[in-house]
Amino acid sequence: MKFSPALQELMEALRCLPGVGPKSAQRMTLHLLERDREGASKLAEALQDAVDKIDHCSRCRNFTELDVCEICSDLRRDAATICVVETPGDVLAVEQSGSYRGLYFVLMGHLSPIDGIGPEDIGLDKFQRRVLDEGISEVILATNPTVEGEATAYYLTDMLQPQGIRVSRIAHGVPLGGELEYVDGSTLAHAFSGRRVVE
Amino acid sequence: MKFSPALQELMEALRCLPGVGPKSAQRMTLHLLERDREGASKLAEALQDAVDKIDHCSRCRNFTELDVCEICSDLRRDAATICVVETPGDVLAVEQSGSYRGLYFVLMGHLSPIDGIGPEDIGLDKFQRRVLDEGISEVILATNPTVEGEATAYYLTDMLQPQGIRVSRIAHGVPLGGELEYVDGSTLAHAFSGRRVVE
């Protein structure tokens, strides 16, 4: 059966959302038309608005509709420390933990020579200039503990340490509340090699 | 942390989709902005288009952007049989089964006196006129096997049978491929009371 064209198009367009397959797209379409047309209109507007307005912060590359994002322009934050993360979602996760008051640099990806993603594609040339210009004292590497994330962290260390910048990597190990029994082997290996003397 | 306002608004607007909580909304927002801005624009357009154009078919009440929907205006279909369903999703399910070639009437709900939904709210006055005017020979009731769906089916039977219309109800029982062991009690009870003599 053919659904009417406008319905069919909406169903297909919804598939651009991650985790939405044909069945959910159908359910969403019918739900919006039957019960929440106002919500659908608002969503259409919010989508277009976000696409039109949101760009990268000229300083940290995070998403923002301003030239310099709210975090970068917040004078109460420690401007001598920069935390390097892969995505805007990572910034959000760190902010929600409430454990960090410095600034950020968002790579919007990671080094991946196989996909043709080199240092300039993730803004590292710009980042190096920023670190030297702004007299940053410490760079905290919070890239993901994946092969690419680690490679990116190594590259950054090699780039910054010779300039006399203190470079640190966030700790990886057994998560709080995690049970040893259920933690995977490589995390445990990390936790052992990263052990600290109890003082 | 405050996300930038346009981002925040998009995240909240996405919550109007069924099954989307705060975490998925965040994931969708970042995915669209990082990787699929074109898809986001298309989705915005498809949403607005659907909301503006799609209304109910004047004959069967299904969703359509035409005055009379494609199924109702398809001359190859059996115009003497009408199948009554609760929602446009039900029409789709029946069509996909390929087992029915008649027309439909979509209630867009079911009788529910507690919620103030009476016969006129689900178009039954209009439906009765249509059945008589068009000389319908059989009405197949395919409302859901829920309390409200059954009540709606009884109401329709009471309304149509005195007019000499043949009224039937689709069979309820053990689904094909289902294992008896895992079928719930009321379905089994239905299957027993609806048994047929093997000929």
Side-chain angles (χ1 to χ4, degrees):
Chain A
M1 174 222 183
K2 280 179 303 175
F3 244 137
S4 79
L7 261 176
Q8 200 72 46
E9 245 159 66
L10 176 52
M11 266 192 248
E12 265 148 43
L14 280 165
R15 304 273 311 269
C16 75
L17 298 171
V20 175
K23 275 275 163 189
S24 327
Q26 181 185 319
R27 196 163 55 98
M28 287 173 169
T29 301
L30 295 176
H31 170 87
L32 290 177
L33 287 171
E34 277 170 46
R35 269 172 247 144
D36 199 4
R37 284 179 180 236
E38 201 189 328
S41 276
K42 267 195 197 143
L43 176 54
E45 207 181 304
L47 278 164
Q48 202 51 61
D49 230 44
V51 169
D52 292 343
K53 288 190 196 160
I54 290 178
D55 207 340
H56 297 289
C57 167
S58 62
R59 217 168 147 206
C60 74
R61 313 223 308 168
N62 198 358
F63 284 136
T64 180
E65 53 247 65
L66 307 168
D67 176 44
V68 173
C69 76
E70 287 184 25
I71 294 182
C72 284
S73 52
D74 186 344
L75 295 175
R76 288 162 306 175
R77 300 188 74 114
D78 170 15
T81 313
I82 296 185
C83 174
V84 180
V85 295
E86 294 186 19
T87 67
D90 297 338
V91 173
L92 200 66
V94 176
E95 285 296 294
Q96 277 164 352
S97 79
S99 53
Y100 179 67
R101 296 297 298 161
L103 302 181
Y104 291 93
F105 188 77
V106 185
L107 302 172
M108 301 301 298
H110 44 230
L111 284 182
S112 180
I114 265 182
D115 304 313
I117 300 174
E120 267 130 70
D121 300 303
I122 56 172
L124 293 191
D125 46 338
K126 207 171 126 192
F127 180 58
Q128 188 170 27
R129 274 200 306 279
R130 177 175 164 196
V131 169
L132 298 176
D133 290 354
E134 297 184 8
I136 301 300
S137 63
E138 179 171 0
V139 170
I140 301 174
L141 304 176
T143 51
N144 290 326
T146 56
V147 175
E148 292 91 350
E150 292 290 354
T152 310
Y154 278 120
Y155 186 95
L156 275 158
T157 311
D158 272 358
M159 181 174 95
L160 300 171
Q161 250 170 4
Q163 323 259 9
I165 312 279
R166 184 173 162 203
V167 180
S168 61
R169 180 102 173 92
I170 57 166
H172 297 108
V174 179
L176 264 65
E179 291 184 58
L180 228 58
E181 192 180 343
Y182 300 112
V183 169
D184 65 297
S186 36
T187 300
L188 266 184
H190 243 294
F192 272 84
S193 71
R195 69 189 180 279
R196 290 213 226 156
V197 176
V198 183
E199 286 170 70
Chain B
M1 175 219 182
K2 280 179 302 173
F3 243 138
S4 79
L7 261 176
Q8 200 73 46
E9 245 159 66
L10 176 51
M11 266 193 247
E12 264 148 44
L14 281 164
R15 305 273 309 270
C16 75
L17 298 171
V20 176
K23 277 275 165 189
S24 328
Q26 181 186 317
R27 196 163 56 98
M28 286 173 170
T29 301
L30 295 176
H31 170 87
L32 289 177
L33 287 171
E34 278 169 46
R35 268 172 251 144
D36 199 3
R37 285 180 180 238
E38 200 189 328
S41 275
K42 267 196 197 142
L43 176 55
E45 206 180 304
L47 277 165
Q48 202 51 61
D49 229 45
V51 169
D52 292 344
K53 287 189 195 159
I54 291 178
D55 206 339
H56 297 287
C57 167
S58 62
R59 217 168 147 207
C60 74
R61 312 223 309 166
N62 198 359
F63 285 136
T64 181
E65 53 247 65
L66 307 168
D67 175 44
V68 172
C69 76
E70 288 184 27
I71 295 182
C72 283
S73 53
D74 185 344
L75 296 174
R76 288 163 305 175
R77 299 190 73 115
D78 170 15
T81 313
I82 297 186
C83 174
V84 180
V85 295
E86 295 187 18
T87 68
D90 298 337
V91 173
L92 200 66
V94 176
E95 286 296 295
Q96 277 163 354
S97 80
S99 54
Y100 179 68
R101 296 296 300 163
L103 302 181
Y104 291 93
F105 188 77
V106 185
L107 302 172
M108 300 301 298
H110 44 230
L111 283 181
S112 179
I114 265 183
D115 304 313
I117 300 174
E120 267 130 70
D121 300 304
I122 55 173
L124 293 192
D125 46 338
K126 207 172 125 193
F127 181 59
Q128 189 171 25
R129 274 200 307 281
R130 177 175 164 196
V131 169
L132 298 177
D133 289 356
E134 298 184 8
I136 301 299
S137 63
E138 178 171 0
V139 170
I140 301 175
L141 304 176
T143 53
N144 290 325
T146 57
V147 175
E148 292 90 351
E150 293 289 354
T152 310
Y154 278 120
Y155 185 94
L156 276 157
T157 311
D158 272 358
M159 181 176 95
L160 300 171
Q161 248 169 5
Q163 322 261 7
I165 313 280
R166 183 173 162 205
V167 180
S168 60
R169 180 103 173 94
I170 57 166
H172 297 108
V174 179
L176 265 66
E179 291 184 57
L180 228 57
E181 192 180 342
Y182 300 113
V183 168
D184 66 297
S186 37
T187 300
L188 267 184
H190 244 294
F192 273 83
S193 72
R195 71 189 179 279
R196 291 211 227 156
V197 176
V198 182
E199 287 169 72

